[in-house]
Amino acid sequence: MNISALQKERAKYQPKLPQSLKGAVKLVEGAKTESVADQKEIEELFPNTYGMPLVAFEAGGADESREPVNVGVILSGGQAPGGHNVISGIFDGIKKINPESKLYGFLGGPGGLVDHKYVELTSAIIDEYRNTGGFDIIGSGRTKLEEEWQFDKGLEIAKDLKLNALVIIGGDDSNTNACVLAEYYSQKNAGVQVIGCPKTIDGDLKNEMIETSFGFDTATKVYSELIGNIQRDANSAKKYWHFIKLMGRSASHIGLECALKTQPNITLISEEIAEKKQTLSDIVNYMAAIVARRAGNGENFGVALIPEGLIEFVPEMKKLIAELNDLLAEGTDTEKEFKMLRKSHRLDWVASHLCEDSANVFKSLPAGIATQLTLDRDPHGNVQVSLIETEKLLGEMVAEKLSAMKKAGEFAGKFSTQYHFFGYEGRCAAPSNFDADYCYSLGYTASLLVSEGKTGYMSSVRNLTAPAEKWIAGGVPVTMMMNMEKRHGHMKPVIQKALVELDGKPFKYFVSKRGEWAYGTQYIYPGPIQYFGPADVCDQPTETLNLEKA
Amino acid sequence: MNISALQKERAKYQPKLPQSLKGAVKLVEGAKTESVADQKEIEELFPNTYGMPLVAFEAGGADESREPVNVGVILSGGQAPGGHNVISGIFDGIKKINPESKLYGFLGGPGGLVDHKYVELTSAIIDEYRNTGGFDIIGSGRTKLEEEWQFDKGLEIAKDLKLNALVIIGGDDSNTNACVLAEYYSQKNAGVQVIGCPKTIDGDLKNEMIETSFGFDTATKVYSELIGNIQRDANSAKKYWHFIKLMGRSASHIGLECALKTQPNITLISEEIAEKKQTLSDIVNYMAAIVARRAGNGENFGVALIPEGLIEFVPEMKKLIAELNDLLAEGTDTEKEFKMLRKSHRLDWVASHLCEDSANVFKSLPAGIATQLTLDRDPHGNVQVSLIETEKLLGEMVAEKLSAMKKAGEFAGKFSTQYHFFGYEGRCAAPSNFDADYCYSLGYTASLLVSEGKTGYMSSVRNLTAPAEKWIAGGVPVTMMMNMEKRHGHMKPVIQKALVELDGKPFKYFVSKRGEWAYGTQYIYPGPIQYFGPADVCDQPTETLNLEKA
């Protein structure tokens, strides 16, 4: 493999571990746990893995030799920086427990377990991937482990490979499924444990015991590097508004973190929009007012951050989309009628078949977007919200609003836009020192949970704003994070998604500052992730964590 | 100003200078020069600034006190990383010459000179901008200094401020204009010198004496970081082809440099396409063949780099665009007829009015692109080539080709695309160590050229693949780089643009490797620019320079 100069140097990096894990380790059990809600239902669904205690690993105990442990590891879902370090942490952990331990990687995600596709991860392989980005060591996939036949197929190969445990590295859904699997294997006395690891750049898998999911730090640092560069360009050329969409469907943690790092003029937070029941027109008016006031100061430029999932948080858009899904559902009479119409008549026809409010929203949309909403459907006939280019939708609507304001004498500036979408640019970046250390520690901790015979636990490393030596390693029962939610019409036990808390410190700090940032051009330019310099530059966790812990 | 942790550390960085400039310096004159072509015409147009000798600065000479020099500096055109370091190099240079020297910055580009908008750059201001990206210290602009009334207005303020010289930091056109200005002031005996500095991320201002323009190194490093991250994602998810368009209208140096750094599956080089007179369909077939063969290996993913200016290098597209410009020119009968047509009839009508070849090309384009070509016109009625989303055009055409191949049994894979355009992400990045050093040296050298009374010279720092201590500083008469070219119907003296040389070492190396890269998935992941680590990681020039010097 031909590798870059930076990779050569980074291969030498030894990720930091909590002090407590460096020598002999003992397990300390904490209090019994309960699920965050719906305790009765969750307990019934998870008779074997409900109510288990929190556990922590502390220094001490006898440094006695332990039995080898064989582990199968799975990468599930979208890439996040640091996945390879979780795997190298597991590898080093189980080898420390006993050099006879073995690590197998299932290929291409959870599907590899079901299809019995795997590779033994040797130290030669692991060494090539230490501190690198990507999930390419074994690949990832989006197969959901939800059905018993999948669990049984998985058990077959686990038995063949004499696995003590599976470690599933994934987001909230994958960890939910990991817990269902843990429960199933427990019920069957299958002798295979299941441990989860909290991964997602979106940052929406977190709670008291899981302070952050891995990858969020690196991804937001890459996006902030780019946002900073674009801000500097905006402030140099002084002629463009850059509308930047940021990956992440559900929560706006990425946008908030990037805003805290770079201080752009506008940042939309989906959770606030939902809470305040803002309309598209409210949002457009808010943005146009900032553009106009900056223009009044002679500043016909700016930067706006827009979360990818925004549209689904705007109540009126959610309603419109639901109505469109009904109106144009495959095989309905209305869909047939729609398809018979000449193209030039379709938008009016659609509007006339919506409720008054939705019709007004629909008519306010730029024609291209309105057409897209009626045409591009997924295999179930639903509007494909992810195809809507939210940044362009808002850009066009703001331009329209400003031209009305110009006629009314309320805007005398210029408004030219550039659009960007950042997502793939950051998901496979090489992990920051923070993520390299955090992931390695998560993996190492997972190996200890396996060795201690735990199942249905998520690896947990806390106290993350302190230096790595002082981090606290342990395990959290996955059921503790669960509640019941409706999914595809059925109530299901799921890990509660962590949205941006509007009464949390990060959001409140942002709110206290965004007025200044809007008008004052107080951009910060974070620059690229650094690995070798002073700790202030290289080893800082996210602003979100810093503020949450402040 | 609230600055990032990295900026705080970088503010302390002392850019490296060539050893020869560190103490007392003496000027050594070289041979008289001639323009690269059209010697007679250029000499007639530049009687005072033609044929001047190359000059170099060497260590030695008396360390005597020199007269103060007052300099006005101008940033011209698009941003490039390192502009602030050119300015701090000039500042430190003229202060070393004599602490009474003064530096003024004209605001918002060449327009600031004409409009007498300026600021004195004090050490307090300079210190805030050392080693930072952007042109925001004084702003940039695209006003062209081409007319005598502008030169005269400039002279007024130069006299008011007692300026010895103007330093114009810009690309090929700005340096051409700088030389015209130098000649004009010489003819008038105005007592104001003009010195140029070679800036552009595009890399197309280079020759024997100007090994590279500044900013190219940093910008291509930022783009390569992102390309590498996307390649790692492609290779992890294994389900997308990423089509990445890279900024740069005329030359493909950026694409070539990024390809050398990252080894993507496909890189299109505009100069090769023009030379081989390739058609759009040739390009699409080439790309589709690689997609199909990779799919045959089970790899339904890849990365393709596409230069922004590609379309104008495809001979048949150039011809089509010229015909469209004539057919739909404002006020013509054909334009009136076109506008009267129903939208659904327009494309057929246009095709029927083109020559057979152009009609075939036009009909081969996706409908959206064809429509865009007939609708979006600039104020002169011309097709706006820059609005064509080349990456999507190619993506759609490759998809179409593959679906034909599928029917013919020649393709059995999947083809899903993601599109990216990188430009603003890199133009204002903080300069790499290389650009920080190179720019500072260029500025410092400019101050010496001023002190030596030179005019019509470009600051030159050479031997750039050696450590900075061994760089060679001097000046090159701008007329030496000139030839006559047709611009807007008139022959004009201009600096010859440096396109990718198809018999040059960088391109030849690329050609020798691109087959392997296409099929072998030999991605390199360069990672982010590093400032503090080992020299191998932090201080390397571009691959283009390394290969040119090899």
Side-chain angles (χ1 to χ4, degrees):
Chain A
M1 197 153 59
N2 198 339
I3 67 172
S4 68
L6 177 57
Q7 276 184 275
K8 273 177 210 154
E9 287 298 326
R10 280 301 279 175
K12 302 173 195 164
Y13 179 73
Q14 179 55 48
K16 304 188 232 0
L17 272 182
Q19 189 60 42
S20 59
L21 301 187
K22 287 181 182 169
V25 171
K26 67 172 186 235
L27 179 139
V28 180
E29 287 204 352
K32 299 263 174 203
T33 60
E34 294 216 318
S35 61
V36 285
D38 311 312
Q39 291 79 6
K40 193 154 164 286
E41 291 94 327
I42 307 281
E43 181 164 14
E44 272 170 25
L45 289 165
F46 296 91
N48 294 281
T49 52
Y50 187 85
M52 301 185 297
L54 292 170
V55 301
F57 293 108
E58 295 183 0
D63 199 2
E64 66 212 0
S65 74
R66 301 191 188 197
E67 291 296 306
V69 286
N70 295 338
V71 171
V73 64
I74 297 171
L75 290 164
S76 179
Q79 281 74 248
H84 292 161
N85 269 30
V86 177
I87 294 176
S88 59
I90 298 171
F91 182 84
D92 291 352
I94 62 172
K95 291 290 183 184
K96 175 111 187 265
I97 285 163
N98 188 312
E100 300 299 312
S101 302
K102 287 194 166 160
L103 181 62
Y104 297 90
F106 288 99
L107 300 176
L113 177 72
V114 179
D115 301 335
H116 297 189
K117 292 189 175 154
Y118 64 91
V119 64
E120 188 185 341
L121 293 168
T122 59
S123 69
I125 297 174
I126 293 286
D127 286 350
E128 256 189 77
Y129 289 89
R130 289 180 191 272
N131 310 312
T132 62
F135 277 8
D136 43 308
I137 187 170
I138 50 174
S140 182
R142 293 189 183 272
T143 300
K144 289 191 189 306
L145 291 181
E146 289 179 318
E147 305 187 34
E148 293 199 357
W149 71 268
Q150 295 173 313
F151 303 166
D152 292 334
K153 287 295 287 179
L155 192 52
E156 278 176 25
I157 187 67
K159 290 284 177 203
D160 283 355
L161 296 174
K162 301 190 171 54
L163 298 185
N164 300 79
L166 294 170
V167 176
I168 298 179
I169 302 170
D172 51 343
D173 281 343
S174 302
N175 274 286
T176 293
N177 293 339
C179 190
V180 174
L181 188 63
E183 177 66 30
Y184 183 81
Y185 288 164
S186 286
Q187 282 177 17
K188 292 195 99 172
N189 252 321
V192 179
Q193 307 153 231
V194 185
I195 300 292
C197 274
K199 171 229 71 171
T200 169
I201 63 163
D202 296 352
D204 56 7
L205 169 50
K206 66 173 177 179
N207 50 58
E208 203 189 334
M209 300 304 294
I210 304 294
E211 295 179 354
T212 187
S213 53
F214 80 75
F216 177 69
D217 180 74
T218 306
T220 53
K221 279 176 175 157
V222 174
Y223 302 147
S224 296
E225 172 197 357
L226 302 181
I227 294 163
N229 288 355
I230 286 171
Q231 288 182 156
R232 194 121 213 181
D233 204 306
N235 195 22
S236 298
K238 300 191 189 294
K239 63 179 181 184
Y240 290 120
W241 267 87
H242 293 267
F243 277 39
I244 303 174
K245 186 169 69 177
L246 295 169
M247 192 173 259
R249 289 282 159 74
S250 58
S252 296
H253 296 290
I254 290 179
L256 180 57
E257 172 65 23
C258 291
L260 295 169
K261 281 197 168 80
T262 63
Q263 305 189 172
N265 306 103
I266 295 175
T267 306
L268 302 177
I269 302 292
S270 300
E271 290 85 344
E272 180 183 27
I273 284 162
E275 172 73 20
K276 293 186 173 169
K277 299 194 172 38
Q278 290 182 332
T279 63
L280 212 46
S281 141
D282 291 337
I283 298 168
V284 168
N285 291 347
Y286 167 73
M287 298 178 88
I290 292 176
V291 173
R293 190 162 144 194
R294 286 181 62 80
N297 299 338
E299 305 213 302
N300 289 300
F301 66 89
V303 169
L305 304 186
I306 299 159
E308 187 184 11
L310 181 78
I311 287 299
E312 292 176 274
F313 281 80
V314 179
E316 61 175 14
M317 285 296 292
K318 223 168 156 174
K319 193 173 160 206
L320 167 63
I321 288 166
E323 284 189 43
L324 286 174
N325 284 342
D326 287 345
L327 183 67
L328 302 176
E330 222 182 316
T332 56
D333 288 347
T334 42
E335 188 227 8
K336 283 177 200 151
E337 196 180 333
F338 171 80
K339 280 190 172 166
M340 302 285 288
L341 291 168
R342 287 233 318 255
K343 281 185 185 162
S344 51
H345 291 64
R346 284 180 172 178
L347 295 186
D348 285 341
W349 180 89
V350 167
S352 72
H353 284 72
L354 298 168
C355 80
E356 198 186 331
D357 288 347
S358 290
N360 286 335
V361 176
F362 188 71
K363 285 188 274 186
S364 78
L365 298 175
I369 306 272
T371 305
Q372 194 182 33
L373 283 177
T374 63
L375 289 182
D376 296 324
R377 338 277 301 172
D378 72 11
H380 308 288
N382 291 325
V383 170
Q384 289 194 271
V385 182
S386 68
L387 287 185
I388 300 174
E389 296 182 289
T390 314
E391 70 284 20
K392 292 187 185 167
L393 167 67
L394 291 174
E396 287 179 35
M397 292 182 78
V398 168
E400 209 173 296
K401 172 75 189 170
L402 287 168
S403 87
M405 288 169 72
K406 194 163 245 174
K407 280 184 196 135
E410 294 160 8
F411 172 61
K414 289 176 190 166
F415 180 66
S416 300
T417 44
Q418 294 287 344
Y419 298 108
H420 311 265
F421 172 37
F422 297 140
Y424 298 100
E425 290 76 1
R427 304 197 314 173
C428 285
S432 62
N433 284 351
F434 174 86
D435 267 329
D437 298 345
Y438 180 47
C439 290
Y440 187 78
S441 298
L442 282 172
Y444 199 95
T445 302
S447 76
L448 293 172
L449 290 166
V450 172
S451 172
E452 292 286 351
K454 298 295 172 191
T455 191
Y457 276 78
M458 200 184 294
S459 177
S460 157
V461 175
R462 297 184 297 124
N463 199 30
L464 297 171
T465 52
E469 291 70 29
K470 297 186 175 167
W471 290 352
I472 298 165
V476 193
V478 178
T479 50
M480 184 186 177
M481 308 170 200
M482 284 188 174
N483 65 177
M484 301 298 291
E485 289 179 23
K486 203 170 189 175
R487 297 281 168 99
H488 302 293
H490 301 283
M491 292 305 287
K492 288 193 70 173
V494 295
I495 295 177
Q496 212 172 39
K497 225 181 240 307
L499 299 180
V500 170
E501 289 178 9
L502 303 186
D503 57 357
K505 286 180 188 169
F507 182 75
K508 281 166 100 172
Y509 176 80
F510 162 73
V511 168
S512 75
K513 291 288 182 181
R514 67 177 158 191
E516 288 172 41
W517 298 350
Y519 307 113
T521 309
Q522 302 189 1
Y523 300 149
I524 293 182
Y525 313 117
I529 292 175
Q530 296 297 303
Y531 296 109
F532 307 106
D536 262 7
V537 177
C538 300
D539 297 334
Q540 297 308 306
T542 59
E543 296 304 316
T544 302
L545 266 177
N546 281 333
L547 286 165
E548 282 172 347
K549 296 283 195 159
Chain B
M1 195 153 60
N2 199 339
I3 67 173
S4 68
L6 177 56
Q7 276 184 275
K8 272 177 213 155
E9 286 298 325
R10 280 301 277 174
K12 301 175 196 165
Y13 180 72
Q14 179 54 48
K16 304 187 223 24
L17 272 182
Q19 188 61 41
S20 58
L21 301 187
K22 287 181 182 169
V25 171
K26 68 171 186 235
L27 177 139
V28 179
E29 287 204 353
K32 299 264 175 201
T33 59
E34 295 215 317
S35 61
V36 285
D38 310 312
Q39 291 81 3
K40 196 154 161 287
E41 291 94 326
I42 307 280
E43 180 164 15
E44 271 170 26
L45 289 164
F46 296 90
N48 294 282
T49 53
Y50 186 85
M52 301 184 297
L54 293 170
V55 302
F57 293 108
E58 295 183 0
D63 201 359
E64 66 212 1
S65 75
R66 300 192 188 197
E67 292 295 307
V69 286
N70 295 337
V71 171
V73 65
I74 296 170
L75 290 164
S76 178
Q79 281 72 251
H84 290 161
N85 270 30
V86 177
I87 294 176
S88 59
I90 299 172
F91 182 84
D92 290 352
I94 61 172
K95 292 291 183 184
K96 175 111 186 263
I97 286 163
N98 188 312
E100 298 300 312
S101 303
K102 287 194 164 154
L103 182 62
Y104 297 90
F106 288 99
L107 300 176
L113 178 72
V114 179
D115 302 336
H116 298 189
K117 292 191 175 153
Y118 64 90
V119 65
E120 188 185 341
L121 294 168
T122 59
S123 70
I125 297 174
I126 293 286
D127 286 350
E128 255 188 77
Y129 289 89
R130 289 180 191 272
N131 310 312
T132 61
F135 278 8
D136 43 307
I137 186 170
I138 49 174
S140 182
R142 293 189 183 271
T143 301
K144 288 190 189 308
L145 291 181
E146 289 180 317
E147 306 189 32
E148 293 199 357
W149 71 269
Q150 295 173 311
F151 301 166
D152 292 334
K153 286 294 286 178
L155 192 52
E156 278 175 24
I157 187 69
K159 290 287 179 199
D160 284 355
L161 296 174
K162 301 190 171 56
L163 297 186
N164 299 79
L166 295 170
V167 176
I168 298 179
I169 302 170
D172 51 343
D173 281 343
S174 303
N175 274 286
T176 293
N177 293 339
C179 190
V180 173
L181 188 62
E183 178 65 30
Y184 183 82
Y185 287 165
S186 287
Q187 281 178 17
K188 291 196 98 173
N189 252 320
V192 178
Q193 307 153 231
V194 184
I195 300 293
C197 273
K199 170 229 74 175
T200 168
I201 63 161
D202 296 352
D204 55 7
L205 170 49
K206 67 174 176 177
N207 50 59
E208 204 189 332
M209 301 302 295
I210 304 293
E211 295 178 354
T212 188
S213 52
F214 79 75
F216 178 69
D217 180 75
T218 307
T220 53
K221 279 174 176 158
V222 174
Y223 303 146
S224 297
E225 172 197 356
L226 302 180
I227 294 163
N229 288 355
I230 287 172
Q231 287 182 158
R232 195 122 212 179
D233 203 306
N235 196 22
S236 298
K238 299 189 191 292
K239 63 179 180 181
Y240 290 121
W241 266 87
H242 294 266
F243 277 38
I244 303 174
K245 185 168 69 176
L246 294 169
M247 190 172 262
R249 289 281 160 75
S250 58
S252 295
H253 296 290
I254 290 179
L256 180 57
E257 173 64 24
C258 291
L260 295 169
K261 281 198 169 82
T262 62
Q263 305 188 172
N265 307 102
I266 295 175
T267 305
L268 302 179
I269 302 293
S270 299
E271 290 85 344
E272 180 184 28
I273 285 162
E275 171 74 19
K276 295 186 173 170
K277 299 194 170 41
Q278 290 182 334
T279 63
L280 212 47
S281 141
D282 290 336
I283 299 168
V284 168
N285 291 347
Y286 167 73
M287 298 178 88
I290 291 176
V291 173
R293 190 162 143 193
R294 286 181 63 79
N297 299 338
E299 305 212 301
N300 288 301
F301 65 91
V303 169
L305 303 187
I306 299 159
E308 187 185 11
L310 181 79
I311 287 299
E312 292 177 275
F313 282 79
V314 178
E316 61 176 14
M317 285 298 290
K318 224 169 155 173
K319 192 173 159 205
L320 167 63
I321 288 166
E323 284 188 44
L324 286 174
N325 284 342
D326 287 345
L327 183 68
L328 301 176
E330 221 181 316
T332 56
D333 289 348
T334 41
E335 189 227 6
K336 283 176 201 153
E337 197 180 332
F338 171 79
K339 280 190 172 166
M340 302 286 286
L341 292 168
R342 286 233 320 255
K343 283 187 183 161
S344 51
H345 291 63
R346 285 180 171 178
L347 295 186
D348 286 341
W349 180 90
V350 168
S352 73
H353 284 72
L354 298 168
C355 80
E356 198 186 330
D357 288 348
S358 290
N360 286 335
V361 176
F362 188 72
K363 285 188 274 188
S364 78
L365 298 174
I369 304 273
T371 305
Q372 194 182 34
L373 282 176
T374 63
L375 290 182
D376 296 323
R377 338 276 301 171
D378 71 13
H380 308 288
N382 292 325
V383 170
Q384 289 194 271
V385 181
S386 68
L387 288 184
I388 301 174
E389 295 181 291
T390 315
E391 70 283 21
K392 292 187 186 167
L393 167 67
L394 291 174
E396 287 178 35
M397 291 181 78
V398 169
E400 208 172 296
K401 172 75 189 173
L402 289 167
S403 89
M405 288 169 72
K406 194 163 246 174
K407 278 181 198 139
E410 295 159 6
F411 172 62
K414 289 175 190 169
F415 180 66
S416 301
T417 44
Q418 294 288 343
Y419 299 108
H420 311 265
F421 172 37
F422 297 141
Y424 298 100
E425 290 75 2
R427 303 198 315 173
C428 285
S432 61
N433 285 351
F434 175 86
D435 268 329
D437 298 345
Y438 180 46
C439 290
Y440 186 79
S441 298
L442 282 172
Y444 199 95
T445 302
S447 76
L448 294 171
L449 289 167
V450 172
S451 172
E452 293 285 352
K454 298 296 172 191
T455 192
Y457 275 78
M458 199 184 292
S459 177
S460 157
V461 175
R462 297 184 295 126
N463 199 30
L464 295 171
T465 52
E469 291 69 30
K470 297 187 175 168
W471 290 353
I472 298 165
V476 194
V478 177
T479 51
M480 183 187 178
M481 308 169 200
M482 286 189 172
N483 64 178
M484 300 299 291
E485 288 179 23
K486 204 170 188 174
R487 296 281 168 98
H488 302 295
H490 301 283
M491 292 305 287
K492 289 192 69 172
V494 295
I495 294 177
Q496 212 173 38
K497 226 183 237 307
L499 299 180
V500 170
E501 289 179 8
L502 302 187
D503 57 357
K505 286 180 188 168
F507 182 75
K508 281 165 99 172
Y509 176 79
F510 161 73
V511 168
S512 76
K513 291 289 183 181
R514 67 178 159 190
E516 286 173 42
W517 299 350
Y519 308 112
T521 308
Q522 301 188 3
Y523 301 148
I524 293 181
Y525 313 116
I529 291 175
Q530 296 297 302
Y531 297 108
F532 307 105
D536 262 7
V537 176
C538 299
D539 296 335
Q540 296 308 306
T542 58
E543 295 305 316
T544 302
L545 266 177
N546 281 332
L547 286 166
E548 282 171 347
K549 297 282 197 163

